[in-house]
């Protein structure tokens, strides 16, 4: 799973992946990093990349999915109504909204 590598977006991406049930975090980190991912209990491997590269990796057969910011997803032509899982944009925390 490609996630942004900058600290703020990376932490948010990890919390969204946790809420989607794809990863488990060890402990209760306020600002999680990939080092906080319990790899044995998670169903995907996270791969931090430059945020602008996340959306473009959707076609990579070695990437299960991407966690892309809306601006990069829009620029890549993603159908923002066709996402699998998203956080609530009205919430300051990565709340759990799925479609």
């Amino acid at each position: 799973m490609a996630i942004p590598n900058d600290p703020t977006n990376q932490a948010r991406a990890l919390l969204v992946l946790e809420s989607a049930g794809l990863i488990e975090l060890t402990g209760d980190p306020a600002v999680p990093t990939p080092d906080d991912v319990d790899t044995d209990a998670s169903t995907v491997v996270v791969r931090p990349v430059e945020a602008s590269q996340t959306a473009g990796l959707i076609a990579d057969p070695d990437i299960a999915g991407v966690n892309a910011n809306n601006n990069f997803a829009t620029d890549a032509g993603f159908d923002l109504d066709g996402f699998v899982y998203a956080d609530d944009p009205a919430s300051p925390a990565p709340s759990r909204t799925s479609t």
Side-chain angles (χ1 to χ4, degrees):
M1 178 71 63
I3 64 169
N5 65 357
D6 63 280
T8 300
N9 288 315
Q10 183 176 82
R12 188 173 187 95
L14 290 170
L15 291 170
V16 169
L17 293 175
E18 179 188 41
S19 71
L22 296 174
I23 65 169
E24 287 192 30
L25 298 172
T26 58
D28 190 19
V31 182
T33 70
D35 291 337
D36 297 311
V37 175
D38 181 343
T39 56
D40 291 333
S42 299
T43 59
V44 297
V45 175
V46 295
R47 178 175 163 194
V49 299
E50 174 64 36
S52 63
Q53 296 176 354
T54 54
L57 290 172
I58 193 69
D60 187 324
D62 293 328
I63 302 292
V66 300
N67 186 300
N69 297 358
N70 280 353
N71 57 321
F72 297 123
T74 301
D75 290 348
F78 285 10
D79 173 8
L80 298 183
D81 292 325
F83 56 80
V84 175
Y85 195 88
D87 60 348
D88 180 356
S91 172
S95 60
R96 291 65 172 147
T97 302
S98 61
T99 61

